[in-house]
Amino acid sequence: MPGPLWPPHASLPCLLRAAALLLGVCLLALPGCTRGGTSIKVPRLLTPQATLDLGQGMPGETLTAALTLKNTGGNPLRIERVEAGCACSSLHLASPVVAPGEETSLEVSARLRPGQPSLSFPVQITSNDPASPVTVCLVRAALGPAALRADPAAVSFGEVATGTAPTRRVRILDAEGHTWPAGRPLTVEVGDGLVQAQTVSVKGSGGSAMALEVRLRSNLPLGPFHDALTLRPANGRSSIVVPIEGRVVPLLLVSPTSLYFGDIAPTAGLLRRYVMVRRTDGKVPGSVLKHTAPLPIEIAEVHGKLPSGSRATLCLGMTIDSRKVHRDVPHGELRLWLDGEPEPLVVGLMIFQKRKTRPAER
């Protein structure tokens, strides 16, 4: 038969100490045990990926991937700070607190720069994990071949008459230079919304191909404008960026905007200046129906002053008779009403008489 559990000669205090020690060992072996009223469980940050690969892209393209952050410990994990070692990147943390056994994601985005064949930078994650308060993950990206091309590679609208909405067509080609099939999906994203873009099907020698119709919005203010289109295959990550630029100008442009007649002597005779009027929509400007000026000015259309191909430009000769100039006009306006135009053109006018010099006083 087995002997007694405790030696017969063991005293009661020894038995009590042994029982307490055995009970403590058992408690430490149980999940959720405590010591001194404080849980011994701690959070543990686990990143399955030591390196995050964003893939390949073209210059100007933004690549994005997610890094998984898992809490394998027994207490909530707190992500206190995330930092990237590259100014071309951005970070987005789904949740800063991760329960035991749960996970969250850290979205990492980086933009490839022109002339940069590859990209590599660290991402530092600071948490309340006592064993590893700072975790570092390496992020990589590389310049790769584009899955498609645009022809032209950039869209320039040039001068655009205000209130008009011109359209440009862009051909879509694959990496080998072949036309993009009309049935192959393609995603088109507009940057600032200054243009409208839609895919259209065009007929070619090899069948139906895809093209892009880019229409400028008609309500843009005067001045230069810039936008961009991002084209991306529906089943791929690689995309291309098509820059868009131009300048919105008035329908009628006059050059110069101000005429100067200075130091006019009564004996100067006839003085002539020239003004060019141009329609930015390509149409021919109408003839001058009437004009107003602070002093008598004769206006006549001048032929032979324009280069060939300048149909949309009107050359006007402005003539002043010096004998009819009896006062200065420092801030005058010459208004021209053209045939077919609802509003007159305004040209600044500065006229000054010649001053007589006084003899120097002795």
Side-chain angles (χ1 to χ4, degrees):
M1 292 187 61
L5 182 61
W6 305 105
H9 58 277
S11 64
L12 181 59
C14 293
L15 292 176
L16 292 177
R17 285 195 298 269
L21 179 61
L22 180 59
L23 179 60
V25 172
C26 293
L27 289 176
L28 289 176
L30 293 175
C33 62
T34 59
R35 177 182 299 169
T38 304
S39 174
I40 66 170
K41 289 186 176 180
V42 294
R44 287 286 184 264
L45 173 60
L46 174 65
T47 55
Q49 305 144 278
T51 301
L52 181 63
D53 190 1
L54 301 182
Q56 294 182 333
M58 295 300 295
E61 181 181 0
T62 299
L63 303 177
T64 302
L67 181 65
T68 301
L69 307 179
K70 187 173 183 179
N71 182 9
T72 60
N75 271 357
L77 174 70
R78 293 192 303 273
I79 308 298
E80 299 170 353
R81 187 170 62 254
V82 290
E83 297 176 290
C86 181
C88 64
S89 63
S90 61
L91 304 175
H92 175 70
L93 182 64
S95 175
V97 180
V98 186
E102 300 296 326
E103 62 184 33
T104 186
S105 64
L106 176 61
E107 187 179 86
V108 183
S109 299
R111 187 178 183 88
L112 295 175
R113 300 171 180 172
Q116 188 178 33
S118 63
L119 183 64
S120 178
F121 61 91
V123 170
Q124 182 174 292
I125 306 164
T126 305
S127 70
N128 64 335
D129 182 349
S132 180
V134 177
T135 302
V136 178
C137 178
L138 185 64
V139 179
R140 293 176 178 172
L143 189 67
L148 69 163
R149 291 157 46 192
D151 181 26
V155 178
S156 177
F157 282 91
E159 285 186 347
V160 179
T162 181
T164 62
T167 301
R168 299 290 186 269
R169 174 167 290 185
V170 179
R171 298 174 62 215
I172 308 300
L173 309 174
D174 60 17
E176 287 74 30
H178 304 129
T179 56
W180 194 270
R184 190 174 177 182
L186 185 68
T187 301
V188 182
E189 301 173 4
V190 181
D192 296 329
L194 304 185
V195 298
Q196 295 174 325
Q198 63 178 0
T199 56
V200 294
S201 178
V202 295
K203 292 184 178 181
S205 57
S208 297
M210 183 181 293
L212 197 63
E213 291 285 352
V214 183
R215 179 181 295 272
L216 188 68
R217 294 189 180 275
S218 60
N219 58 349
L220 298 186
L222 295 175
F225 62 86
H226 300 274
D227 208 338
L229 296 177
T230 301
L231 310 182
R232 188 189 311 272
N235 58 350
R237 294 177 56 186
S238 180
S239 63
I240 61 172
V241 177
V242 181
I244 298 173
E245 65 176 6
R247 177 183 290 272
V248 179
V249 296
L251 184 61
L252 285 173
L253 292 179
V254 58
S255 178
T257 58
S258 183
L259 296 178
Y260 176 76
F261 293 85
D263 295 335
I264 300 178
T267 58
L270 300 179
L271 303 176
R272 175 171 290 190
R273 303 290 186 269
Y274 295 95
V275 168
M276 301 291 183
V277 180
R278 180 167 61 90
R279 285 186 63 104
T280 55
D281 60 357
K283 298 180 181 179
V284 179
S287 300
V288 178
L289 299 179
K290 67 175 183 177
H291 71 276
T292 60
L295 291 177
I297 294 180
E298 293 186 3
I299 299 177
E301 295 185 16
V302 179
H303 302 282
K305 287 282 185 180
L306 301 177
S308 59
S310 302
R311 290 183 59 254
T313 304
L314 175 67
C315 182
L316 301 175
M318 315 289 182
T319 304
I320 289 181
D321 188 345
S322 63
R323 295 171 298 178
K324 299 179 180 181
V325 177
H326 304 296
R327 62 186 178 91
D328 292 344
V329 182
H331 305 290
E333 286 186 348
L334 171 64
R335 293 178 175 266
L336 305 172
W337 278 264
L338 303 184
D339 187 13
E341 304 298 337
E343 300 293 334
L345 282 177
V346 179
V347 181
L349 198 62
M350 293 183 293
I351 303 174
F352 296 97
Q353 294 178 294
K354 187 175 182 180
R355 300 291 186 266
K356 294 182 179 180
T357 59
R358 296 178 179 180
E361 296 183 359
R362 295 182 179 178

